[in-house]
Structure formats: C-alpha cells, structure tokens
Amino acid sequence: MSAPTPAPTGAAQPAEPAVPKNVRWVLLGILLAMLLAQLDGLIVGTAMPTIVSEIGGLDHISWVVTAYTLTMACSTPIWGKLGDLFNRKLMFLSSIVLFLIASALSGASTTMTELIIFRAVQGVGAGGLAAGAFALIGALLPPRERGRYQGMVAIVMALGSIGGPLVGGLITGHLGWRWAFYINLPIGIICIVWCQLLLHVPSVRKEKAVIDWLGITLLTSTIAATVLAFTWAGSTYAWESWQILALAAGAASGLALFIASQKRAANPLMPLRIFTEIRNFPLASLLLIVAGVAMFGATLYLPLFQQTVQGASATNSGLLLVPMMAGTVIASNIAGKVMTKTGKYKIFPVLGTASLVVGMYLLSTMDTGTARFTTSLFMVLVGIGTGFTLQMANTIAQNSVELRDIGAASAAATLFRTVGGSLGVAVFGSLFTGSVQDHAAPGEGSTNHLAHMTAAAKDAYLHAVAHATHQIFLVGAAIAAVGLIAATAIEEVPLRAKPGSGPAPAKPATPQPASK
C-alpha cells in the first residue's frame, strides 16, 4: 500500500475550516434536507394504489420509482464533483431548490407520464442532497470528532429508510396522494433558510476548473445500465434475457471505458487516487454495498413476511421495523462515542458484519410458526449490524481521502450504497418471485388476497412465502459474510483530527538495520 501523495509545494489547497461551535444546529439543517431525499424514495410506494386509481397508468407504475432511483444514482457523482470544484454550500442549496420544484410539479401531475418525468427531475435533486450532505459533514467534522454526532446521522437514515412507508400511508390516507409531494415544500424551505443562515463553508473554486464531460457521460451510462439491470432483472425481464444481458454488457464496457478516461482526464470526475492511495476506501465501499443490500432487503421483505405469514396489519407496516431501527440507532451511537474517545474503529465493522451474518441467518430460519417477538429479536441483530457498519464505513471512506476529494469520495460512497440497495432489491425480488411461483398452489403464486383463498391454497401460499423468505435471508447472510471478510482486511489508519487535513499515514515501516 502506497502512502498518500503529498500535495505539490505551492499548490492551492482548500482552507481548513474550524469545527463550528453550533455544529449540531448546522447538522440539523443538513440532515433534514437529506431526510427529504430518503423519504421520497420510499414514501410513494404506499401512495401508488391511490395515484393509479386517480390518474391511471398502471402499466408504467414501476417507472415512478425507477425514474427517481435511476436519476438519483446517475447525478450523485456529478453533484459531488461540482461541490469539490466550486462551492459545496451553493451546490447543496441548488439541489434543494431543484428538488422542491420537482416535488411541486409531481404533486400537480395529471397523467402518469408527467409524474414519471417530474420524478426523474426530483431524483436529480435528491442526488445532490445525498452527495452534498455527506460531503458537508466531511468538510465540517474531522473523522475523530464525527462519532459525537454519528447518532444524529443514524437516526435520520433509519427514519428515512423505515419511516417512508409509514409516512406515505398516513399522508395518503388523511391528505391525499398529492401531499406526499407537497409536504416537501415547507420542510425544504426551512432547510434552505436554515442552511443559508447557519452553514458556513469556504469556497473551493479552482482557477480554470475543467469539467470532465467524457467521464460524466461514461459514468452516467454505466450507472443507468447497472440500475436498470438490477431493477428489471427477475421482474420485468428474466435474468438470462437478452435485455438484461445487453444491459450487463453495456455496464461492463462502460465501466472499463470510464476507468480508462479517468486515467487521462486533467480533472477527473472520480479521481482514481481515492481507490488506490489507501486500501481502506475500496474496502469501505464494499461494506456500504453489503449494508445497502441488508438494509433495503430487510425493509422490503420483512414487512411482507409479517403481514402475510404472521397476520400483521398493513396499516402499521412501518412500525414493524422499529426493532431494527432501534438496533441501528443504539449501535451507531455506541460506535460513535467509542471511536471519538479512543480513536479505534476497526472492531465495529467487524462486529457489525458478523451481526449481519448471524441476524440474516436467523431470519432465514423463520417459518409459518415463528412468533412476531422472535422475528423482532432477529431484526435487532440486523439493526445492530447496520448501525455498526453503515456510518462507520462512511467515516472510514472519508478518512481515506483529502479534503479536495471529499465530495467525490462522499458521492462514490453514496453511489455504492444505492447500487447495493438496487442489487439487494433485484436479487431478493427474483428469489422471492421464483420461490413463491415454485411452491404456491397453481394460480395462487401472485395474489395476496388470502381471504378469498381456500384453506389448502392459503396454507400452500403461506408456506411458499416462508420458503421464499428463507431463500432471501440465506443469500443475505452469504453476502454479509463477504462484508465480514472485507471488514477484517481494513487497516486502522489513525483518524484525522482536523477537518481539512489529508488522510493520516499508515504506521511507518520498521527501520531496517544498516548493512555491514
């Protein structure tokens, strides 16, 4: 492993900002904006039946979610790099404004086509919210001090992942589906005013800043092919269909061309040095993919199992995930405080991925006789694993790069977590659909109207869902095991003590005795 290359003497370096005295208040505004992006990725799911009944477009319903996810993933690295090149605060506020305009247009949509287009624009804004939030946190707080505030980030991420379906159901039921979008407007305006008044970061604009248009085109194409392949595989198209194989080939070739372009670019979109200067960044990225798979897979399929097999109410589906959310928040707080006090952090991703392996495996043992309380205990383990892994992986990734690359690194980390979530949803969805079709009674594999089934058909369907859940979480445990291997390979590089300093060097090599 090579040590980070020092900046040339006389090179323009970003100023090292001091940690603001009111940093918790500053973070609240940033995290509130990030919460908007996370909620809107999930809030629409529970509103979709009402939306379709009013404006139609059932055949294109999946694109309401796909358009948002796709443009968010594609735009995240671009927003991150623009923040590095120009002004992070300006880019962050611009993304909020774009998000709010698209939210208003989405709420006013009269056709499904309009809604899909405006959701795509909203996804572009959400990409800036996600990339900007983590980059600003990285610029404001040195990794050594970030543990003090890690609980705040964990709570927001847990609320965004778990609260989306619950909030969507409440808003749709009481105010109508359009308010699932309009609710963003007052909250977003508060975020803009809040950040304008309290958030102060130095401008990092470089003279003669060159935008890597080739890199943007290649990376956007690669991400689009990847997300579409993960989203459509096993649902819209079979995994072995020519459409999915073509998308996979396009993603692979696009990635190869993108890497080649970054080696030659004067100001690359995603500098390859963040992957090569220290091995911790690629390892942390792998941990983020694993955590994304676990988090998105669990939040989608655990409520389905509890509603279908255990007879829980769909109205309270969001509350079913509270044990996992509690585990995530508590574990993240513990890890943050210990990291800040001792400077040690490697143990937490190791414990976190190990907890994910055990929790996922235990979830795979559930059947039609498993009690809700038992399921909740298993969910706590998954939550602890996510809490120890997710935020710590973000901190490790940002500690591995200099401030000049914090935006690109934060955007890359966000991108890996998003791709991990897409991968988890696609793989788990394919496993679930295939298993239910193979084990349910003929003609009952795609219905959830249990009240209209015969006793035999209902029993067969419940066992089919239980078997599908077994398959999903068994694969999840195997993926978490890969994360455990990556966690053990992380090198415990000392955490930076200043917001603007570069990555701390590894332990110096032991001097060799002089030859006689």
Side-chain angles (χ1 to χ4, degrees):
M1 181 193 70
S2 61
T5 304
T9 304
Q13 292 294 325
E16 293 191 1
V19 176
K21 294 181 180 180
N22 61 339
V23 67
R24 289 189 184 275
W25 288 103
V26 177
L27 287 178
L28 277 177
I30 296 173
L31 294 177
L32 186 60
M34 187 173 72
L35 179 62
L36 284 177
Q38 286 194 299
L39 281 176
D40 245 66
L42 297 168
I43 199 172
V44 177
T46 48
M48 282 313 301
T50 307
I51 294 175
V52 171
S53 67
E54 183 172 327
I55 65 175
L58 180 62
D59 294 342
H60 305 291
I61 188 174
S62 63
W63 273 101
V64 176
V65 176
T66 302
Y68 182 89
T69 305
L70 181 61
T71 54
M72 179 180 179
C74 290
S75 64
T76 296
I78 300 172
W79 283 109
K81 186 61 179 180
L82 290 176
D84 285 341
L85 287 176
F86 301 106
N87 185 296
R88 295 191 179 96
K89 177 179 177 179
L90 176 61
M91 292 298 107
F92 187 61
L93 293 179
S94 298
S95 66
I96 297 177
V97 172
L98 180 61
F99 184 85
L100 295 184
I101 293 173
S103 296
L105 293 173
S106 296
S109 299
T110 57
T111 66
M112 185 60 73
T113 301
E114 289 181 0
L115 179 59
I116 292 170
I117 292 173
F118 297 142
R119 281 283 287 173
V121 178
Q122 194 181 33
V124 175
L129 290 177
F134 283 110
L136 286 170
I137 292 171
L140 289 170
L141 299 172
R144 182 63 186 264
E145 293 298 317
R146 204 167 303 158
R148 301 180 189 274
Y149 314 97
Q150 194 159 288
M152 295 172 63
V153 181
I155 290 173
V156 168
M157 296 192 71
L159 287 174
S161 301
I162 297 169
L166 179 61
V167 173
L170 291 174
I171 291 177
T172 303
H174 292 84
L175 300 175
W177 69 267
R178 296 183 187 276
W179 276 96
F181 301 105
Y182 291 152
I183 194 67
N184 295 330
L185 301 180
I187 299 175
I189 291 172
I190 291 173
C191 292
I192 292 173
V193 175
W194 193 305
C195 292
Q196 180 62 33
L197 295 176
L198 298 181
L199 177 61
H200 303 288
V201 290
S203 173
V204 293
R205 180 166 185 168
K206 304 176 182 178
E207 293 184 5
K208 298 180 180 179
V210 179
I211 297 177
D212 182 14
W213 294 109
L214 177 60
I216 289 174
T217 302
L218 290 173
L219 184 60
T220 300
S221 302
T222 301
I223 295 171
T226 303
V227 172
L228 287 176
F230 286 158
T231 303
W232 287 342
S235 55
T236 305
Y237 304 107
W239 280 93
E240 65 278 7
S241 66
W242 71 265
Q243 291 92 340
I244 299 303
L245 293 177
L247 286 170
S253 59
L255 179 61
L257 291 172
F258 174 73
I259 292 174
S261 75
Q262 297 304 281
K263 291 180 179 179
R264 296 191 299 268
N267 198 344
L269 174 66
M270 192 175 291
L272 297 182
R273 59 178 175 264
I274 67 177
F275 295 95
T276 58
E277 283 185 345
I278 183 170
R279 72 185 185 195
N280 279 2
F281 187 85
L283 291 172
S285 300
L286 181 56
L287 288 177
L288 288 166
I289 293 175
V290 170
V293 169
M295 184 171 64
F296 281 85
T299 53
L300 279 176
Y301 289 98
L302 275 172
L304 180 61
F305 175 84
Q306 291 183 298
Q307 291 173 36
T308 304
V309 178
Q310 296 179 330
S313 169
T315 305
N316 298 320
S317 59
L319 298 177
L320 300 174
L321 296 172
V322 167
M324 191 170 77
M325 180 176 70
T328 298
V329 173
I330 292 172
S332 186
N333 270 288
I334 292 173
K337 290 179 179 178
V338 173
M339 181 184 70
T340 298
K341 184 177 182 179
T342 67
K344 304 296 182 182
Y345 55 86
K346 178 177 178 178
I347 185 63
F348 294 111
V350 173
L351 290 175
T353 49
S355 182
L356 282 177
V357 172
V358 175
M360 288 287 193
Y361 174 75
L362 290 175
L363 287 172
S364 75
T365 65
M366 297 187 302
D367 55 28
T368 55
T370 303
R372 290 190 207 174
F373 179 75
T374 303
T375 301
S376 297
L377 293 178
F378 298 164
M379 290 165 65
V380 170
L381 285 175
V382 174
I384 291 173
T386 304
F388 277 157
T389 304
L390 191 58
Q391 289 306 308
M392 202 59 64
N394 272 313
T395 298
I396 293 170
Q398 291 185 335
N399 189 58
S400 304
V401 301
E402 297 180 17
L403 183 63
R404 59 175 176 166
D405 295 324
I406 201 74
S410 300
T414 303
L415 175 62
F416 288 128
R417 187 176 66 251
T418 302
V419 171
S422 299
L423 174 63
V425 171
V427 173
F428 291 166
S430 181
L431 287 171
F432 184 86
T433 302
S435 184
V436 168
Q437 290 176 346
D438 290 341
H439 292 82
E444 301 292 352
S446 60
T447 181
N448 59 359
H449 298 293
L450 298 180
H452 303 292
M453 294 183 184
T454 63
K458 179 178 179 180
D459 183 68
Y461 182 69
L462 294 181
H463 279 86
V465 172
H467 183 270
T469 304
H470 164 76
Q471 297 270 60
I472 285 173
F473 289 110
L474 196 59
V475 171
I479 294 174
V482 175
L484 178 58
I485 296 172
T488 58
I490 286 176
E491 183 175 2
E492 195 152 36
V493 177
L495 294 171
R496 295 197 305 265
K498 296 181 180 180
S501 54
K507 294 179 182 179
T510 303
Q512 299 296 321
S515 59
K516 297 181 180 180

